[in-house]
Structure formats: structure tokens, C-alpha cells
Amino acid sequence: MTAAVTVLAVTDEPLDLAAHEAAVADRRAGAVVSFQGVVRDHDHGRPVTLLEYEGHPSAADVLREVAAEVAADPDVYAVAVSHRIGRLDIGDVALVAAVSTAHRAAAFAACARLVDEAKARLPIWKRQVFADGTEEWVNCP
């Protein structure tokens, strides 16, 4: 049986953790692991005031590829993932992922892989604005 894959969005709208968890609900699942990447107020010891994410038009396709690869694991029942773009303030959620499996170890491993691969491969770039008014682009080619 093939795992269900839901890429809810690459969007400028706020992300909903509960919707991602609901998307991976499965009667066979004994474990649902979810993750929220939250904008923090610092980076490498410097105070951050906001982030801005810009995405390439292919970002949703790449996110679907990553999700499909994780879903190909026979232990995975369902995968849901979204990434936010646009301006995000401290405390806003930038990335949400959820995975369901029969057992917790597999769910933790699959969710970690989903997040790590999304962060490594998505053509989404981050501009950090620091408290002193300077800025820095991260993951930008």
C-alpha cells in the first residue's frame, strides 16, 4: 500500500499544524509526529526582528518530490508538509510537517528526514533582518 502524500501549500498564508496532523490521520497509525519550524528572535548571537522567505516557482514541485520520497518508505502511512513564504514575524511558523506510522521510532525518523530534506532542497531563500537594521540572505544561490 502506498503512503498518502499531502503537500498542503507553499503559501504566504499562516500554516496550521492541526490541519497537517489531520491530513496524516490513519487508523493503522500508532504514531503521528509533527514539527513546526518557528521564527526565533536570534541567529548566531544576533537579535533578529523578522524574516522574509522568497520561493522559486518550482518550490511546490520540489516539496512534492521530497514528500513522495519520504512516503515511499514502507513504514510510512501518510505525509503532510507545507512551507510559508513572505514576511514572517518572531513566533510565526515557517514550516510544518507531519508523518504517521505504526510505531514512534519510524515516525520520528521519517519526520526528521522530511524536514531535513525540505530544508536542504527547497528553492526557498530567507532574508533575516537584524535589530541593528542590517540584513542577511540565507540559502541563497
Side-chain angles (χ1 to χ4, degrees), residues 70-139:
V70 172
D73 181 329
D75 290 334
V76 173
Y77 295 146
V79 172
V81 60
S82 297
H83 200 296
R84 191 160 169 203
I85 55 174
R87 179 192 164 124
L88 282 75
D89 294 315
I90 305 305
D92 285 345
V93 178
L95 174 69
V96 174
V99 175
S100 63
T101 68
H103 303 285
R104 71 180 174 271
F108 278 114
C111 192
R113 181 174 173 224
L114 178 61
V115 170
D116 290 346
E117 287 296 317
K119 295 290 286 178
R121 293 171 41 193
L122 277 178
I124 293 179
W125 305 282
K126 174 174 69 175
R127 181 176 70 100
Q128 300 187 112
V129 178
F130 297 101
D132 65 5
T134 61
E135 61 183 49
E136 167 186 65
W137 282 93
V138 180
N139 298 333

Coordinates of all heavy atoms in Angstrom, one line a residue, residues 70-139:
V70 N 9.8 10.5 1.0 CA 9.6 10.1 2.4 C 8.5 9.1 2.5 O 8.5 8.1 3.2 CB 9.4 11.3 3.4 CG1 9.0 10.8 4.8 CG2 10.7 12.1 3.4
A71 N 7.4 9.3 1.7 CA 6.3 8.5 1.7 C 6.6 7.1 1.1 O 5.8 6.1 1.3 CB 5.1 9.1 0.9
A72 N 7.6 7.0 0.3 CA 8.0 5.7 -0.3 C 8.5 4.7 0.7 O 8.5 3.5 0.5 CB 9.0 5.9 -1.4
D73 N 8.8 5.2 1.9 CA 9.3 4.3 3.0 C 8.1 3.4 3.4 O 7.0 3.9 3.7 CB 9.7 5.1 4.2 CG 10.2 4.3 5.4 OD1 9.7 3.2 5.6 OD2 11.0 4.8 6.1
P74 N 8.2 2.1 3.4 CA 7.1 1.2 3.6 C 6.5 1.3 5.0 O 5.4 0.9 5.3 CB 7.7 -0.2 3.4 CG 9.2 -0.1 3.4 CD 9.5 1.3 3.0
D75 N 7.3 1.9 6.0 CA 6.8 2.1 7.3 C 5.9 3.3 7.4 O 5.1 3.5 8.4 CB 7.9 2.3 8.3 CG 8.7 1.0 8.6 OD1 8.1 -0.1 8.4 OD2 9.9 1.1 8.9
V76 N 5.9 4.2 6.4 CA 5.1 5.5 6.4 C 3.7 5.3 5.9 O 3.6 4.8 4.8 CB 5.9 6.6 5.7 CG1 5.1 7.8 5.6 CG2 7.2 6.9 6.4
Y77 N 2.7 5.7 6.6 CA 1.3 5.7 6.2 C 0.9 7.0 5.4 O 0.2 6.9 4.5 CB 0.4 5.5 7.3 CG 0.6 4.1 8.0 CD1 0.4 4.0 9.4 CD2 0.9 3.0 7.3 CE1 0.5 2.8 10.0 CE2 1.1 1.8 7.9 CZ 0.9 1.7 9.3 OH 1.0 0.5 9.9
A78 N 1.4 8.1 6.0 CA 1.0 9.4 5.3 C 2.0 10.5 5.7 O 2.6 10.4 6.8 CB -0.4 9.8 5.8
V79 N 2.1 11.5 4.8 CA 3.0 12.6 5.0 C 2.3 13.9 4.6 O 1.5 13.9 3.6 CB 4.2 12.4 4.0 CG1 5.1 13.6 4.0 CG2 5.0 11.2 4.4
A80 N 2.5 14.9 5.4 CA 1.9 16.2 5.0 C 3.0 17.3 5.3 O 3.6 17.2 6.4 CB 0.6 16.5 5.8
V81 N 3.1 18.2 4.4 CA 4.2 19.3 4.6 C 3.8 20.5 3.9 O 3.2 20.5 2.8 CB 5.6 18.7 4.2 CG1 5.6 18.4 2.7 CG2 6.7 19.7 4.5
S82 N 4.2 21.7 4.5 CA 4.0 23.0 3.9 C 5.1 23.9 4.3 O 5.6 23.8 5.4 CB 2.6 23.6 4.3 OG 1.5 22.9 3.9
H83 N 5.4 24.9 3.5 CA 6.3 25.9 3.8 C 5.7 27.3 3.5 O 5.0 27.5 2.5 CB 7.6 25.8 3.0 CG 8.8 26.5 3.6 ND1 8.9 27.8 3.7 CD2 9.9 26.0 4.1 CE1 10.0 28.1 4.3 NE2 10.7 27.0 4.5
R84 N 5.9 28.2 4.4 CA 5.4 29.6 4.2 C 6.4 30.4 3.5 O 7.6 30.3 3.7 CB 5.1 30.1 5.6 CG 4.3 31.4 5.5 CD 3.5 31.7 6.8 NE 3.0 33.1 6.7 CZ 2.7 33.8 7.7 NH1 2.8 33.3 9.0 NH2 2.2 35.0 7.6
I85 N 5.9 31.4 2.7 CA 6.8 32.4 2.1 C 6.2 33.8 2.5 O 5.1 33.9 3.0 CB 6.9 32.2 0.6 CG1 5.5 32.2 0.0 CG2 7.6 30.9 0.2 CD1 5.5 32.2 -1.6
G86 N 7.0 34.8 2.2 CA 6.6 36.2 2.5 C 7.2 36.6 3.9 O 8.1 35.9 4.4
R87 N 6.7 37.7 4.4 CA 7.2 38.2 5.7 C 6.6 37.4 6.9 O 5.4 37.2 7.0 CB 6.8 39.7 5.8 CG 7.2 40.3 7.1 CD 6.6 41.6 7.4 NE 6.8 42.0 8.8 CZ 7.3 43.1 9.2 NH1 7.8 44.0 8.3 NH2 7.5 43.4 10.4
L88 N 7.6 37.0 7.7 CA 7.2 36.3 9.0 C 7.8 37.1 10.2 O 9.0 37.5 10.1 CB 7.7 34.9 9.0 CG 6.9 33.9 8.1 CD1 7.1 34.1 6.7 CD2 7.2 32.5 8.6
D89 N 7.0 37.2 11.2 CA 7.5 37.9 12.4 C 7.9 36.8 13.4 O 7.7 35.6 13.2 CB 6.4 38.7 13.0 CG 6.0 39.9 12.1 OD1 6.9 40.6 11.6 OD2 4.8 40.2 11.9
I90 N 8.6 37.3 14.4 CA 9.0 36.4 15.5 C 7.8 35.6 16.0 O 6.7 36.2 16.3 CB 9.7 37.2 16.7 CG1 10.8 38.0 16.1 CG2 10.1 36.2 17.8 CD1 11.9 37.3 15.4
G91 N 8.0 34.3 16.1 CA 6.9 33.4 16.6 C 6.0 32.8 15.5 O 5.3 31.9 15.7
D92 N 6.1 33.4 14.3 CA 5.3 32.8 13.2 C 5.9 31.4 12.8 O 7.1 31.2 13.0 CB 5.4 33.7 11.9 CG 4.5 34.9 12.1 OD1 3.6 35.0 13.0 OD2 4.7 35.9 11.3
V93 N 5.1 30.6 12.2 CA 5.5 29.3 11.7 C 5.9 29.3 10.3 O 5.1 29.7 9.4 CB 4.4 28.3 12.0 CG1 4.8 26.9 11.5 CG2 4.0 28.2 13.5
A94 N 7.1 28.8 10.0 CA 7.6 28.9 8.6 C 7.5 27.5 7.9 O 7.3 27.5 6.7 CB 9.1 29.3 8.6
L95 N 7.5 26.4 8.6 CA 7.5 25.1 8.1 C 6.7 24.2 9.0 O 6.9 24.2 10.2 CB 8.9 24.5 7.9 CG 9.1 23.1 7.5 CD1 8.6 22.9 6.0 CD2 10.5 22.6 7.6
V96 N 5.8 23.4 8.4 CA 5.0 22.4 9.2 C 5.1 21.1 8.5 O 5.0 21.0 7.2 CB 3.6 22.8 9.3 CG1 2.8 21.7 10.0 CG2 3.4 24.1 10.2
A97 N 5.4 20.0 9.2 CA 5.4 18.7 8.7 C 4.8 17.7 9.7 O 4.8 17.9 10.9 CB 6.9 18.3 8.5
A98 N 4.1 16.7 9.1 CA 3.5 15.6 9.9 C 3.7 14.3 9.2 O 3.6 14.3 8.0 CB 2.1 15.9 10.2
V99 N 3.9 13.2 10.0 CA 4.1 11.9 9.4 C 3.3 10.9 10.3 O 3.4 11.1 11.5 CB 5.5 11.5 9.3 CG1 5.7 10.1 8.9 CG2 6.3 12.5 8.4
S100 N 2.7 9.9 9.7 CA 2.1 8.8 10.5 C 2.7 7.5 10.1 O 3.0 7.2 9.0 CB 0.6 8.8 10.4 OG 0.2 8.5 9.0
T101 N 2.9 6.7 11.2 CA 3.5 5.3 11.0 C 2.8 4.4 12.1 O 2.1 4.9 13.0 CB 5.0 5.3 11.2 OG1 5.3 5.6 12.5 CG2 5.7 6.2 10.2
A102 N 3.2 3.2 12.1 CA 2.7 2.3 13.1 C 3.4 2.5 14.5 O 2.7 2.4 15.5 CB 2.9 0.8 12.7
H103 N 4.6 2.9 14.4 CA 5.4 3.0 15.7 C 6.2 4.3 15.7 O 6.6 4.9 14.7 CB 6.4 1.8 15.8 CG 5.7 0.5 15.7 ND1 5.0 0.0 16.8 CD2 5.6 -0.4 14.7 CE1 4.5 -1.2 16.4 NE2 4.9 -1.5 15.2
R104 N 6.5 4.8 16.9 CA 7.0 6.1 17.1 C 8.4 6.3 16.5 O 8.7 7.3 16.0 CB 7.0 6.5 18.6 CG 8.0 5.7 19.5 CD 7.9 6.2 20.9 NE 8.8 5.4 21.7 CZ 8.4 4.2 22.3 NH1 7.1 3.8 22.2 NH2 9.2 3.5 23.0
A105 N 9.3 5.3 16.6 CA 10.7 5.4 16.1 C 10.6 5.7 14.6 O 11.4 6.6 14.1 CB 11.5 4.2 16.4
A106 N 9.8 5.0 13.9 CA 9.7 5.2 12.5 C 9.1 6.6 12.2 O 9.6 7.3 11.2 CB 8.9 4.1 11.8
A107 N 8.2 7.0 13.0 CA 7.5 8.3 12.7 C 8.5 9.5 13.0 O 8.6 10.4 12.2 CB 6.3 8.5 13.6
F108 N 9.3 9.4 14.1 CA 10.3 10.4 14.4 C 11.3 10.4 13.3 O 11.7 11.5 12.8 CB 11.0 10.1 15.7 CG 10.2 10.6 16.9 CD1 9.7 9.7 17.8 CD2 10.0 12.0 17.1 CE1 9.0 10.2 18.9 CE2 9.3 12.4 18.2 CZ 8.8 11.5 19.1
A109 N 11.8 9.3 12.8 CA 12.8 9.2 11.8 C 12.3 9.8 10.5 O 13.0 10.6 9.8 CB 13.3 7.8 11.6
A110 N 11.1 9.4 10.1 CA 10.5 9.9 8.8 C 10.3 11.4 8.9 O 10.5 12.1 7.9 CB 9.2 9.2 8.5
C111 N 9.8 11.9 10.0 CA 9.5 13.4 10.1 C 10.8 14.1 10.1 O 10.9 15.2 9.4 CB 8.7 13.7 11.4 SG 8.1 15.4 11.4
A112 N 11.8 13.6 10.7 CA 13.2 14.3 10.7 C 13.7 14.3 9.3 O 14.2 15.4 8.8 CB 14.1 13.6 11.6
R113 N 13.6 13.2 8.6 CA 14.0 13.2 7.2 C 13.3 14.2 6.3 O 13.8 14.9 5.5 CB 13.9 11.8 6.6 CG 14.4 11.7 5.2 CD 14.4 10.3 4.7 NE 14.8 10.3 3.3 CZ 14.1 9.6 2.4 NH1 13.2 8.7 2.7 NH2 14.5 9.7 1.1
L114 N 12.0 14.2 6.5 CA 11.1 15.1 5.7 C 11.6 16.6 5.9 O 11.8 17.3 5.0 CB 9.6 15.0 6.1 CG 8.6 15.9 5.5 CD1 8.6 15.6 4.0 CD2 7.2 15.6 6.1
V115 N 11.8 17.0 7.2 CA 12.2 18.4 7.5 C 13.6 18.6 6.9 O 13.8 19.7 6.3 CB 12.1 18.6 9.0 CG1 12.7 19.9 9.4 CG2 10.7 18.6 9.5
D116 N 14.5 17.7 7.2 CA 15.9 17.9 6.7 C 16.0 18.0 5.2 O 16.7 18.9 4.7 CB 16.8 16.8 7.2 CG 17.0 16.8 8.7 OD1 16.7 17.9 9.4 OD2 17.5 15.8 9.3
E117 N 15.3 17.1 4.5 CA 15.3 17.2 3.0 C 14.6 18.4 2.5 O 15.1 19.0 1.5 CB 14.7 15.9 2.5 CG 15.5 14.7 2.6 CD 16.8 14.7 1.9 OE1 16.9 15.2 0.7 OE2 17.9 14.4 2.4
A118 N 13.5 18.8 3.1 CA 12.9 20.0 2.7 C 13.8 21.2 2.8 O 13.9 22.1 1.9 CB 11.6 20.3 3.4
K119 N 14.4 21.3 4.0 CA 15.3 22.5 4.2 C 16.5 22.4 3.3 O 17.0 23.5 2.9 CB 15.8 22.4 5.7 CG 14.7 22.6 6.7 CD 14.2 24.0 6.8 CE 15.2 25.0 7.4 NZ 14.7 26.4 7.4
A120 N 17.0 21.3 3.0 CA 18.2 21.2 2.1 C 17.9 21.4 0.6 O 18.7 22.0 -0.1 CB 18.8 19.8 2.2
R121 N 16.7 21.1 0.2 CA 16.4 21.1 -1.3 C 15.5 22.1 -1.8 O 15.4 22.4 -3.0 CB 15.9 19.7 -1.7 CG 17.0 18.6 -1.5 CD 16.5 17.2 -1.6 NE 15.6 16.9 -2.7 CZ 14.9 15.8 -2.8 NH1 15.1 14.8 -2.0 NH2 14.1 15.6 -3.8
L122 N 14.6 22.7 -0.9 CA 13.7 23.6 -1.4 C 14.3 24.9 -1.9 O 15.2 25.5 -1.2 CB 12.7 24.0 -0.3 CG 11.5 23.1 0.0 CD1 10.7 23.6 1.1 CD2 10.7 23.0 -1.3
P123 N 13.9 25.4 -3.1 CA 14.4 26.6 -3.6 C 13.6 27.8 -2.9 O 12.9 28.5 -3.6 CB 14.2 26.5 -5.1 CG 13.0 25.7 -5.2 CD 13.1 24.7 -4.1
I124 N 13.8 27.9 -1.6 CA 13.2 29.0 -0.8 C 14.4 29.7 -0.1 O 15.1 29.0 0.6 CB 12.1 28.5 0.1 CG1 10.9 27.9 -0.7 CG2 11.7 29.6 1.1 CD1 9.8 27.4 0.2
W125 N 14.5 31.0 -0.2 CA 15.6 31.7 0.4 C 15.0 32.6 1.5 O 13.9 33.2 1.4 CB 16.3 32.5 -0.7 CG 16.7 31.6 -1.8 CD1 17.8 30.7 -1.7 CD2 16.1 31.3 -3.0 NE1 17.8 30.0 -2.9 CE2 16.8 30.3 -3.7 CE3 14.9 31.8 -3.6 CZ2 16.4 29.8 -4.9 CZ3 14.6 31.3 -4.9 CH2 15.3 30.3 -5.5
K126 N 15.9 32.8 2.5 CA 15.5 33.6 3.7 C 16.3 34.8 3.8 O 17.5 34.8 3.8 CB 15.6 32.7 4.9 CG 15.4 33.3 6.2 CD 15.5 32.3 7.4 CE 16.8 31.8 7.6 NZ 16.9 30.9 8.8
R127 N 15.6 36.0 4.0 CA 16.2 37.2 4.4 C 16.0 37.5 5.8 O 14.8 37.6 6.3 CB 15.7 38.4 3.5 CG 16.3 39.7 3.8 CD 15.8 40.8 2.9 NE 14.5 41.2 3.2 CZ 14.1 42.2 3.9 NH1 15.0 43.1 4.4 NH2 12.8 42.5 4.1
Q128 N 17.1 37.6 6.6 CA 16.9 37.9 8.0 C 17.2 39.4 8.2 O 18.2 39.9 7.7 CB 18.0 37.1 8.8 CG 17.8 35.6 8.7 CD 18.8 34.9 9.7 OE1 18.3 34.3 10.6 NE2 20.1 35.0 9.5
V129 N 16.3 40.0 9.0 CA 16.6 41.4 9.4 C 16.9 41.4 10.8 O 16.2 40.9 11.7 CB 15.3 42.3 9.1 CG1 15.5 43.7 9.5 CG2 14.9 42.2 7.6
F130 N 18.1 42.0 11.1 CA 18.6 42.1 12.5 C 18.2 43.4 13.2 O 17.8 44.4 12.5 CB 20.1 42.0 12.5 CG 20.6 40.6 11.9 CD1 21.1 40.6 10.6 CD2 20.5 39.5 12.7 CE1 21.5 39.3 10.1 CE2 20.9 38.3 12.2 CZ 21.4 38.2 10.9
A131 N 18.2 43.4 14.5 CA 17.8 44.5 15.3 C 18.6 45.8 15.0 O 18.0 46.9 15.1 CB 17.9 44.2 16.8
D132 N 19.8 45.7 14.5 CA 20.6 46.8 14.2 C 20.3 47.4 12.8 O 21.0 48.3 12.3 CB 22.1 46.6 14.4 CG 22.6 45.5 13.4 OD1 21.9 45.1 12.5 OD2 23.8 45.1 13.5
G133 N 19.3 46.8 12.1 CA 18.9 47.3 10.8 C 19.6 46.6 9.6 O 19.3 46.8 8.5
T134 N 20.7 45.8 9.9 CA 21.4 45.1 8.8 C 20.5 43.8 8.5 O 19.6 43.5 9.2 CB 22.8 44.7 9.2 OG1 22.7 43.8 10.4 CG2 23.6 45.9 9.6
E135 N 20.9 43.3 7.3 CA 20.1 42.1 6.9 C 21.1 41.1 6.3 O 22.3 41.4 5.9 CB 19.1 42.4 5.9 CG 19.5 43.1 4.6 CD 18.4 43.5 3.7 OE1 17.4 44.1 4.2 OE2 18.5 43.2 2.5
E136 N 20.6 39.9 6.1 CA 21.5 38.8 5.6 C 20.5 37.8 4.8 O 19.5 37.5 5.3 CB 22.2 38.1 6.7 CG 22.8 36.8 6.4 CD 23.3 36.1 7.6 OE1 22.5 35.7 8.5 OE2 24.6 36.0 7.7
W137 N 21.0 37.4 3.6 CA 20.3 36.4 2.9 C 20.9 35.0 3.2 O 22.1 34.9 3.2 CB 20.3 36.6 1.4 CG 19.4 37.7 0.9 CD1 19.6 39.0 0.8 CD2 18.0 37.5 0.6 NE1 18.5 39.6 0.4 CE2 17.5 38.7 0.3 CE3 17.2 36.4 0.5 CZ2 16.2 38.9 -0.1 CZ3 15.9 36.5 0.1 CH2 15.4 37.8 -0.2
V138 N 20.0 34.0 3.5 CA 20.5 32.7 3.8 C 20.0 31.7 2.8 O 18.8 31.8 2.4 CB 20.0 32.3 5.3 CG1 20.4 30.9 5.7 CG2 20.4 33.4 6.3
N139 N 20.8 30.7 2.5 CA 20.4 29.7 1.5 C 20.1 30.2 0.1 O 19.3 29.7 -0.6 CB 19.3 28.8 2.0 CG 19.6 28.1 3.3 OD1 20.7 27.8 3.5 ND2 18.6 27.8 4.0

